[in-house]
Amino acid sequence: MSLLFYIGALLIVIGALCDFFGALGLLRFPNFYVRLHAATVGIIGGAAVPLFGVALLALGADFLPHRYAIAGASFVTGIVVLIVSPAGSHALAYAAHKAGLVDWEPEVDHLAGVEGDG
Amino acid sequence: MGLESQFMLLMKFVMPIYLLAFVLYAVRAFKGPTIADIILAVDCLSFDVAAFMAILAVYFRSVYLVSGAMVLALWGYLLDIYVAKHIAEGEVGA
C-alpha cells in the first residue's frame, strides 16, 4: 500500500514543478499564441498530474479518513480536466484568431486563406 | 517515520511552489494586454486551484474540499467557452 503513496507523492512533486514552469512561461513569453503552450504545460502538467497523484496517494495513505471518497473524486476531477482544458484552450485560440485580437508576425499562416466556416 | 509525517514533509516542499505559481498567474491575469490573455490566466489559475484543493483535502483530512475542486474545474471550462463565443460572434447566444 505504501508504494501507491510514494508514486502519488512523486506525481505531486512533478505537478508542482510543471505548475511553476508553466506560470513562469505564461509570464515571460511574448504573445498570446506562445503563451498557450505554457498554459497547457501549466494545466495538464500542473493540474491533471497532481490530481492523479492525490488519487494514488489517498489510496495508499492509511491515516486518512474517507480515503476512497477523496481518491475517487480527485480521479474523476483529473479526467474532467484532461478532457475539458484542451477544448477550452482551442476555443479561445480560435476566437482570438478569428477576431484578430493579437498582433503577431507569422512566418507561415495556414489559416489565412480559410474563411467562411462559421 | 510514518506516512503522515512524510506527507507533512512533502507539503512543506510543495506548498511554496504552488503559491509562487499562483502569484505569477495572478500577475499575468492583472496585466494581460488582451482579453484572451486574461481569460487564459484565470483559466490556469482556476484549474490549479482545483488541484491544490485536492491536495489540501488530504492535508486537512476533509472530503468536502474535493467537491469544490470539481465545480471549480467545470467553471473554468464554462468561462472559456462563453468568452470565446463572445469574442468570436459578438454575442453569447444559443
Side-chain angles (χ1 to χ4, degrees):
Chain A
M1 288 301 272
S2 70
L3 180 66
L4 284 179
F5 181 87
Y6 292 125
I7 294 174
L10 183 66
L11 285 183
I12 288 177
V13 170
I14 290 173
L17 292 178
C18 281
D19 201 6
F20 175 66
F21 289 125
L24 207 59
L26 196 74
L27 190 62
R28 296 290 295 167
F29 278 169
N31 64 21
F32 172 69
Y33 299 114
V34 192
R35 277 178 211 137
L36 268 176
H37 162 67
T40 311
V41 171
I43 292 174
I44 297 296
V49 170
L51 280 168
F52 292 132
V54 167
L56 293 180
L57 185 142
L59 276 183
D62 48 1
F63 60 91
L64 194 66
H66 306 293
R67 56 180 167 159
Y68 295 116
I70 290 178
S74 53
F75 184 71
V76 170
T77 311
I79 287 183
V80 164
V81 168
L82 212 57
I83 292 172
V84 137
S85 116
S89 300
H90 188 156
L92 205 59
Y94 170 73
H97 185 273
K98 190 173 181 184
L101 280 181
V102 184
D103 296 328
W104 63 321
E105 299 292 332
E107 298 279 335
V108 177
D109 190 2
H110 285 301
L111 281 179
V114 183
E115 289 298 332
D117 51 351
Chain B
M1 192 153 120
L3 285 185
E4 187 177 358
S5 55
Q6 286 181 6
F7 180 73
M8 293 305 164
L9 189 64
L10 174 73
M11 287 303 288
K12 208 172 289 182
F13 283 112
V14 158
M15 200 182 280
I17 304 179
Y18 271 101
L19 294 179
L20 189 59
F22 291 159
V23 170
L24 294 181
Y25 283 134
V27 168
R28 175 51 77 192
F30 277 118
K31 80 173 202 183
T34 66
I35 300 174
D37 286 311
I38 298 173
I39 296 303
L40 190 66
V42 172
D43 195 34
C44 290
L45 198 55
S46 65
F47 282 127
D48 289 327
V49 167
F52 193 60
M53 277 173 77
I55 297 175
L56 283 185
V58 183
Y59 185 75
F60 290 123
R61 302 181 193 182
S62 157
V63 200
Y64 304 109
L65 281 167
V66 191
S67 57
M70 191 177 303
V71 172
L72 202 55
L74 291 173
W75 177 80
Y77 177 59
L78 200 66
L79 181 73
D80 261 0
I81 295 302
Y82 276 171
V83 173
K85 179 102 179 178
H86 173 70
I87 292 172
E89 311 279 335
E91 61 179 1
V92 185

